[in-house]
Amino acid sequence: MVAAIRVPKTQRARRELLKHAPKLVETGKKTLILHGTKTSAVLNSVLSDIYHLKRDNAVKYTKKNDNIRPFESGGESSLEFFSLKTDCSLIVYGSHSKKRPNNLILGRTYDHHIYDLVEVGVENYKSMESYVYDKKLAPKLGSKPFFAFIGEHFESAEELKHLKEVLLDLFRGEVVENLNLAGVDRIYVCTATSPTTVYMMHCALCLKRSGTSIPRMELVEVGPSMDLVVRRHRLPVESLKKEAMKTADHAKKVKNVTKDPVQGRLGKVYMPDQQVGKLALSNDIKGLKRERREAKKNKEHSKKQKVNPE
């Protein structure tokens, strides 16, 4: 039996559906954090730290989910359901088993369908609570991070190329046009130690006096830090990728109009050659129309006076 499609009947319901629909220009992505059937203490701490770093734009479920198998056919329907329910386009799913200990799956969705997946194992993990530092350096809500990807494997290994894209999408936050440098107060440093392993650490940026107008920058590790070992990854389907990569049409170019960073918008106006001593008058001038109307009325009035003398 096929379920009937519910059509919105009010304008408010239509507006809500449009909010959940995919857009050509995305300004920010919400993250959904889920637990598997079984998780370890290390994995619980990893998910908590990710939620803390994304707490301004994330949804976390602590209940265990039994029927989620992202890399198996039919096992991703629950992920798509939760993505639709919470309007999240980024997914972080943690599970633990003897075959794949401390397993972390990072995924993206498009139109609430699974777009791509990266499965990594977490090793040598250090939580944010294990670091001692000035609490003023803790990441603030709305702050933007820097990213540093070190190692040639990010350009040569297909797995790390894919992981780099997903990590950038996961931690970059809301897309903005103008940026205040005071809000860029942290950095993620990712070092490729092998074609399948990335050492990731999170640091705060401290500006120190240098005796010049340019301050000296120091890094203070605030956690978390971990080794991410790529186990499996699934690239997007070509048709879905083509649909997701659509961009907005460029504005129609206006002739003879340019933009200057100093003077702003500039335009060229072309005028015909003018001859000195001659003035071309148009018949559409309002003053001439008024004069013609008055002259016509005076002429008609004079005719009436001649025909009907007193």
Side-chain angles (χ1 to χ4, degrees), residues 14-31:
R14 292 188 183 95
R15 286 195 297 269
E16 288 298 321
L17 283 180
L18 287 176
K19 289 180 183 178
H20 291 256
K23 301 174 181 59
L24 287 176
V25 180
E26 296 283 355
T27 56
K29 298 181 180 181
K30 292 173 62 178
T31 303

Side-chain angles (χ1 to χ4, degrees), residues 163-174:
L163 180 61
K164 176 182 176 180
E165 292 180 7
V166 176
L167 289 177
L168 282 172
D169 243 2
L170 179 62
F171 292 108
R172 71 175 179 172
E174 186 177 352

Side-chain angles (χ1 to χ4, degrees), residues 79-306:
L79 285 179
E80 294 176 350
F81 167 76
F82 284 122
S83 172
L84 178 61
K85 181 180 178 181
T86 59
D87 191 24
C88 292
S89 55
L90 294 168
I91 296 173
V92 179
Y93 174 74
S95 62
H96 179 74
S97 63
K98 186 177 180 180
K99 184 179 180 181
R100 292 187 175 90
N102 299 327
N103 200 50
L104 198 66
I105 296 177
L106 310 175
R108 296 182 290 181
T109 64
Y110 175 76
D111 197 12
H112 306 297
H113 295 288
I114 296 298
Y115 179 74
D116 60 352
L117 296 168
V118 179
E119 183 183 67
V120 296
V122 178
E123 298 178 357
N124 303 322
Y125 172 71
K126 291 180 67 177
S127 65
M128 298 177 69
E129 296 179 354
S130 62
Y131 288 90
V132 179
Y133 57 90
D134 186 0
K135 297 305 177 183
K136 294 181 180 179
L137 300 177
K140 303 174 182 63
L141 287 174
S143 62
K144 296 283 290 182
F146 282 117
F147 281 89
F149 292 93
I150 304 171
E152 60 181 9
H153 298 298
F154 282 113
E155 303 297 330
S156 58
E158 192 68 30
E159 296 87 347
L160 296 194
K161 276 185 181 180
H162 193 190
L163 180 61
K164 176 182 176 180
E165 292 180 7
V166 176
L167 289 177
L168 282 172
D169 243 2
L170 179 62
F171 292 108
R172 71 175 179 172
E174 186 177 352
V175 179
V176 294
E177 295 182 359
N178 299 320
L179 187 63
N180 186 356
L181 292 180
V184 186
D185 56 358
R186 52 202 175 98
I187 181 172
Y188 291 96
V189 182
C190 301
T191 306
T193 56
S194 73
T196 58
T197 306
V198 173
Y199 173 63
M200 178 180 175
M201 64 177 181
H202 179 222
C203 301
L205 293 175
C206 297
L207 302 180
K208 302 289 185 178
R209 292 181 180 178
S210 62
T212 62
S213 59
I214 301 175
R216 180 169 54 88
M217 190 176 295
E218 288 187 1
L219 299 183
V220 178
E221 195 168 356
V222 297
S225 66
M226 67 194 91
D227 286 334
L228 301 177
V229 183
V230 180
R231 292 172 176 167
R232 292 183 291 179
H233 75 113
R234 193 179 79 185
L235 295 172
V237 181
E238 194 62 33
S239 59
L240 187 62
K241 182 178 180 180
K242 185 177 180 181
E243 181 71 19
M245 291 296 179
K246 278 186 178 179
T247 56
D249 294 334
H250 295 289
K252 187 177 180 180
K253 187 176 180 180
V254 182
K255 292 183 177 180
N256 305 324
V257 176
T258 59
K259 289 184 178 180
D260 187 86
V262 178
Q263 297 179 340
R265 193 176 181 185
L266 303 175
K268 294 181 180 179
V269 179
Y270 292 92
M271 298 183 65
D273 295 335
Q274 297 182 357
Q275 297 180 3
V276 180
K278 292 184 179 180
L279 181 63
L281 297 177
S282 173
N283 293 329
D284 296 333
I285 300 176
K286 292 183 179 180
L288 294 179
K289 289 182 179 179
R290 191 185 308 113
E291 290 178 359
R292 286 199 297 268
R293 284 196 301 268
E294 292 177 355
K296 187 177 180 181
K297 286 181 181 179
N298 294 333
K299 188 176 181 180
E300 291 177 354
H301 183 67
S302 61
K303 284 182 179 180
K304 287 181 180 179
Q305 286 181 347
K306 291 180 180 180

